[in-house]
Amino acid sequence: MSQLTDLDIAGARDALAKGECSSEELTSAYLEAIDAAKALNAFITVLPGKAIEMAKESDARRKAGEVGALEGVPLAIKDLFCTEGVLTTAASHILDGFTPPYESTVTANLWGQGAVLLGKTNLDEFAMGSSNETSYYGPVRNPWTLDGADAGLVPGGSSGGSAAAVAANLCAGATGTDTGGSIRQPAALTGTVGMKPTYGRCSRWGTIAFASSLDQAGPMTRTVRDAAIMLGAMAGHDPKDSTSIDTPVPDYEAALEGGVKGLTIGVPDEYRIDGMPKEIEDLWQQGIEWLKAQGAEVKTVSLTRTKYALPTYYIVAPAEASSNLARYDGVRYGLRVPGDDITGMYENTRAEGFGAEVKRRILIGTYVLSAGYYDAYYLQAQKVRTLIAQDFAEAFSDVDLILTPTAPEPAFGIGTKTDDPLSMYLNDVFTVPASLAGLPGISVPSGMSASGLPLGLQLIGKAFDEETVLRGGYALEQAAGFTGKPSPWWRS
Ligand code: GLN
């Protein structure tokens, strides 16, 4: 018998509209599923009381004829979005006990459309990571396994809790944030859809900052249609974020059925990196064939500065992080560790409150911004970033979308890369360039590895052309016909 938690966002919306279930019933079903999935460690905070209350309010609104785009749909929220009166941790010890007195714009938009908050999902500390292993609250386990038993695989990161929750049907959809790949890479590693919109499409207000010139919120869902529905509710201009763009939010769902006939898809040679597994290369080729078969024209494009993207990102992102994280000093938020004097208190709080990866980023960031090295590193990185954006601008004068793999490998084992930051950073090699250029990208589950794990393909689009990205993603999804689901070993 199919369960209520089998309903994705579009399915839940339709079932609620037809009166086949109430939001309260749907929400209870998800809360039970979350309760039985503690082994995944996908949530930092679960909010049963609040969720049921919000669901009842939604049911009452529906009765009164008020129906938002996500009316009654239960969602999980990455614990980087501030939620009013609800513990918000960024998965860091330094934010112990922090309950914001305000709501992030993105989550406020979701509640404004009737969505229900199930809980806050686990992530890498301050969204720094590609495996969800830097969380103070411990690693998230990927619902996917190698042989039906828990293989201890990472779900990707930093939005690993959201990705795992979507893959394991613990929510209808979830929010993520993507600074260098944190929505798209975990989506690829968990067989889910993850979309990073154009920088400026979703407000950053009330989202805990990592690297402000790169951070973007986006949807993590089971299907491309759900991504379109959710993005429409999240996006929009916000005067409280000066980098949020005042441009209309189109009807993304209406854009889905356009097909790829008549579109030109670019394939960048520079993404054929050394040591990429043959199965990733083959999947990419398969993706090209699928789009061609549906009437798209495929062209090789050149993104010559791609090889500088990772080193550039690992200067720009830590520089901004070191500045953003300066505010955590034991005075205003969360943890305070006493010291002999105020400097001692700052030092003790930061020493105890931040984990190793966050400290590494603060050290790198402070170094590249220091007077003696600013020109050599930070300024140089900013110039290279501009060149990377120019590469994309040139490519997009010729093509509508760019197709690449999302990640260079499937999910890997917990602990296998924690002592090797460079190999960890390499997981974002295909997602970071679009982040530096501020462009929208989607990861669509497209196939399986020989070891039985999901693999994703990425489509990158022109700035503010999420409609074409979604349209291409929908076509890819139809062709791939990926319907795999992990077997629920975690259910207690
Ligand atoms: N993995 C990358 C990093 O650690 C990207 C993280 C993100 O997008 N938030 O910086």
Side-chain angles (χ1 to χ4, degrees), residues 78 127-130 157-158 177-183 210 313-314 317 361 425 428:
K78 185 179 185 179
M128 298 175 192
S130 307
S158 63
T177 64
D178 191 311
T179 302
S182 278
I183 288 177
F210 162 13
Y313 174 85
Y314 277 99
R361 308 278 176 119
Y425 296 170
D428 296 315

Side-chain angles (χ1 to χ4, degrees), residues 93-158:
H93 187 26
I94 212 157
L95 279 172
D96 275 3
F98 172 58
T99 42
Y102 45 79
E103 187 76 29
S104 84
T105 298
V106 159
T107 48
N109 288 348
L110 292 170
W111 317 142
Q113 291 296 330
V116 170
L117 168 61
L118 291 166
K120 306 288 295 285
T121 55
N122 205 341
L123 65 150
D124 279 299
E125 186 177 2
F126 284 105
M128 298 175 192
S130 307
S131 65
N132 212 124
E133 290 169 288
T134 71
S135 167
Y136 178 67
Y137 298 89
V140 173
R141 295 183 109 75
N142 195 325
W144 286 88
T145 60
L146 288 173
D147 48 19
D150 176 16
L153 300 178
V154 305
S158 63

